[in-house]
């Protein structure tokens, strides 16, 4: 059954989530950054095909095209995929798309139809 994030969120806010409400998905996202985490190694739970973990943003030194140091906001994102269904290259390409959207949210909005 398709469950909306709004209805699941409402159940969670009212402390009424059941095990059935949070099992059986094929894709999960975990926000370890919300609790201060910077990195995670997400583990699949069958029947999931892919899971992603988003760390908190951090300000770190980086280099621009001219080799100059600047302060950059960075975030670690980790993925685990079931290789019976996905190959690593597919997950890497998906990760690149997600990264591009996080760096330029306007691009995401413009791609919606």
């Amino acid at each position: 059954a398709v469950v909306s994030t709004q209805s699941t969120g409402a159940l969670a806010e009212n402390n009424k989530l059941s095990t059935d409400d949070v099992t059986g998905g094929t894709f999960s996202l975990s926000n370890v950054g919300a609790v201060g985490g910077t990195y995670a190694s997400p583990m699949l739970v069958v029947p999931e095909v892919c899971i992603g973990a988003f760390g908190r943003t951090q300000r770190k030194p980086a280099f621009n095209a001219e080799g100059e140091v600047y302060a950059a906001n960075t975030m670690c994102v980790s993925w685990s995929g079931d290789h019976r269904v996905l190959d690593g290259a597919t997950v890497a390409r998906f990760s690149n798309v997600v990264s591009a959207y996080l760096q330029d949210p306007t691009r995401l909005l413009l791609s919606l139809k």
Side-chain angles (χ1 to χ4, degrees):
V2 175
V3 179
S4 76
T5 54
Q6 289 176 331
S7 63
T8 303
L11 289 170
E13 287 174 0
N14 293 308
N15 203 24
K16 294 186 179 183
L17 274 176
S18 70
T19 303
D20 289 339
D21 293 323
V22 294
T23 58
T26 56
F27 188 92
S28 295
L29 292 175
S30 180
N31 182 4
V32 298
V35 293
T38 57
Y39 180 82
S41 296
M43 294 178 56
L44 288 171
V45 178
V46 175
E48 288 180 346
V49 174
C50 190
I51 183 170
F54 290 75
R56 70 178 173 87
T57 56
Q58 301 175 81
R59 202 149 174 85
K60 292 185 172 184
F63 295 93
N64 64 17
E66 290 78 36
E68 301 165 329
V69 177
Y70 71 98
N73 292 315
T74 64
M75 178 175 58
C76 288
V77 180
S78 311
W79 303 99
S80 292
D82 185 341
H83 284 265
R84 296 173 297 176
V85 180
L86 301 170
D87 61 46
T90 300
V91 176
R93 284 189 296 273
F94 176 74
S95 184
N96 290 337
V97 170
V98 170
S99 177
Y101 286 152
L102 290 172
Q103 292 176 48
D104 185 6
T106 304
R107 184 174 164 188
L108 170 63
L109 295 173
L110 292 173
S111 71
L112 299 175
K113 295 180 182 179

